[in-house]
Amino acid sequence: MEENKYSLVEHLDELRKRIIYCLIFLAVASALSWQWVPLFIKYASAPVGKLVFLHPTEAIFVYFKVALWGGFFLSLPAILYHIWKFVSIGLTPEERKNIVIFAPASFILFLLGAGFAMFLAVPLAIKFMVGFGAGWAEPMLSLNQYLSFVGWMVLAFGAAFELPMGILFLAKLKVVTPRTLKLYRKHAVLLIFIAAAILTPTPDAFTQFLLAAPLIILYEASILLSYLV
């Protein structure tokens, strides 16, 4: 079939096929990550030490959830590939060329953001928040709530690190220019702090700053990169 002659039914059939492929990859990757769940929980809980569970089913629920998250990250390249295969049907050759360039860079930036959160932002944020109550309160963190906090932090930083790709894409479409980005730098910084307050799962200013600081650096880097496009 010619790609530009796909009917609605054929598009839906193609979508169904891609969703099935993604679910298969997710299931296989989750099964593979099952054995690494205790190691991940041990590393993630290192900044706070021992975690507790408050409900008889909480531990097994968290185990399944962490395995599913691990499977998602392991299968993410395959999932993105099948999303690309479906979306590319309706794109022009020029649009496909742009996506082929931007998609791998977006994936790398997402991994960088997730790694920044996991190895730097989460330990610093936990040390700050737990240490705040030192001397007058004893921390007793729930397994589910703590790992949910870590998961949201990883997702928030991964998504936020996509900022350069969004700016470069808009520059490619000539919606923004380097001069515009410089002119509205102060407004961008304000919006970054607002976004950091929304994306981070805690209301404290320290955690928000941990997200806002690298975003401001990425914004400045985006201004330089926008000259290329």
Side-chain angles (χ1 to χ4, degrees), residues 203-221:
D204 64 286
F206 181 74
T207 305
Q208 295 166 15
F209 175 77
L210 288 176
L211 178 56
L215 285 182
I216 293 172
I217 295 173
L218 288 173
Y219 182 82
E220 295 297 329

Side-chain angles (χ1 to χ4, degrees), residues 2 4 13-14 19 34 36 56 91 106 113 125 130 155 158 161 168-169 176 200 208 210 223-224:
E2 292 293 328
N4 57 355
D13 184 63
E14 180 72 12
I19 290 175
W34 180 269
W36 302 106
L91 299 179
S106 297
V130 173
L155 276 180
F161 269 54
L168 290 180
F169 187 73
V176 297
T200 50
Q208 295 166 15
L210 288 176
I223 294 177
L224 298 177

Side-chain angles (χ1 to χ4, degrees), residues 73 76 104-123 149-165 199-200 207 210-215 218:
F73 280 102
L76 190 56
S106 297
F107 179 65
I108 292 172
L109 282 173
F110 181 86
L111 291 182
L112 287 175
F116 183 87
M118 196 66 204
F119 297 110
L120 184 63
V122 169
F149 165 78
V150 173
W152 277 113
M153 286 285 284
V154 169
L155 276 180
F157 275 77
F161 269 54
E162 298 294 328
L163 176 65
M165 288 298 99
L199 290 173
T200 50
T207 305
L210 288 176
L211 178 56
L215 285 182
L218 288 173

